[in-house]
Amino acid sequence: MSARFAELDWQQTPIGTVSLRRRVEPTLQVEVYEVKLDEEYLMSSLFTDGEVALADLALAGLSGDRLDVVVGGLGLGYTAQAVLADPRVASLTVVELLEPVLDWHRRGLLPAAAALTDARCRLISGDFFALAADEPGFDPDAPGRRFDAVLLDIDHSPSHLLDERSAAFYTPAGLRRLAAQLRPGGAFALWSNDPPETAVTAMLAEVFASATARVVRFPNPLQGGEATNTIYLATA
């Protein structure tokens, strides 16, 4: 096991200073990777159940064996890894705004980085919300291309944003532009760190054929007891 604490990288980005650190959690004696934006914790490798469930729940509702998937927000890579674990996936496009995050994976600094060397995976440095609203869409080489699933894990929740510029996405108009990039029967899945919000489910139902919220429960080894995330699922 490595030294108890190491700051692996620290860089300025358009939305603040992002840092990656690795530490040994003393109560569990496991190696933990954490990402901070300025002084705010964004993610930890101790808590990945929601990130994996984002992929598993969305893909479980899809039929077919040549699935094209978009993930908004690379993070520690666990959602992308879970998508690629499904043999039905033909292609995965991962959109990440923060160049340092892409760099961490390219340099192999994170446990899930190896999955992104899969030939089916393409990393795009860009603004997911801009691409969701732009007619050419998520594939710069194939404007207007449609996908079987779009999975989003960027903001803490639709009401707790990392950057206020993403607020326009969480509206019926913003979601309609996203829905236009899905194939009929395609899935949109949204991760949230907050409990289910009736207003979010209702807004999704206004745009999509169906919408629901699923609570993902998992143990919290630091505080004891149970923690939860919410996965919103919508079908075009």
Side-chain angles (χ1 to χ4, degrees):
M1 192 170 286
S2 61
R4 285 199 168 272
F5 179 87
E7 187 168 67
L8 303 180
D9 196 22
W10 182 97
Q11 294 188 46
Q12 189 65 37
T13 77
I15 62 172
T17 301
V18 67
S19 60
L20 171 66
R21 67 184 197 175
R22 181 187 63 221
R23 66 181 178 86
V24 175
E25 171 52 47
T27 59
L28 303 172
Q29 285 300 298
V30 296
E31 203 167 57
V32 179
Y33 291 81
E34 296 171 328
V35 178
K36 294 178 69 177
L37 181 64
D38 294 327
E39 294 305 311
E40 183 176 18
Y41 283 94
L42 291 187
M43 60 199 76
S44 167
S45 62
L46 269 181
F47 306 104
T48 62
D49 299 69
E51 296 171 56
V52 173
L54 178 65
D56 291 347
L57 291 173
L59 298 182
L62 296 175
S63 58
D65 58 2
R66 297 287 298 172
L67 302 178
D68 297 316
V69 181
V70 173
V71 167
L74 174 57
L76 295 176
Y78 291 98
T79 297
Q81 185 181 63
V83 169
L84 292 167
D86 190 322
R88 299 176 300 152
V89 171
S91 73
L92 169 63
T93 301
V94 182
V95 182
E96 173 59 54
L97 176 67
L98 303 181
E99 186 61 38
V101 175
L102 292 168
D103 183 54
W104 300 338
H105 285 273
R106 290 174 180 137
R107 291 161 59 193
L109 296 181
L110 293 164
L116 302 185
T117 62
D118 190 303
R120 296 171 294 166
C121 183
R122 178 182 189 179
L123 301 178
I124 293 180
S125 176
D127 184 341
F128 171 90
F129 300 107
L131 296 177
D134 190 22
E135 188 174 338
F138 295 113
D139 188 342
D141 298 327
R145 179 185 177 190
R146 293 193 173 196
F147 295 85
D148 296 289
V150 175
L151 320 180
L152 178 57
D153 179 4
I154 293 178
D155 292 310
H156 294 297
S157 76
S159 56
H160 186 185
L161 310 180
L162 293 183
D163 187 330
E164 289 302 320
R165 287 174 291 183
S166 66
F169 175 81
Y170 301 103
T171 65
L175 291 169
R176 285 191 185 96
R177 287 189 286 268
L178 180 282
Q181 300 196 48
L182 288 171
R183 292 176 180 143
F188 171 56
L190 170 64
W191 178 92
S192 172
N193 195 45
D194 292 343
E197 299 179 61
T198 302
V200 175
T201 308
M203 181 170 57
L204 289 168
E206 182 179 337
V207 174
F208 293 90
S210 65
T212 187
R214 297 278 296 272
V215 175
V216 179
R217 303 180 185 278
F218 50 92
N220 184 333
L222 298 182
Q223 298 178 345
E226 188 177 68
T228 64
N229 292 158
T230 300
I231 307 296
Y232 294 97
L233 297 167
T235 303

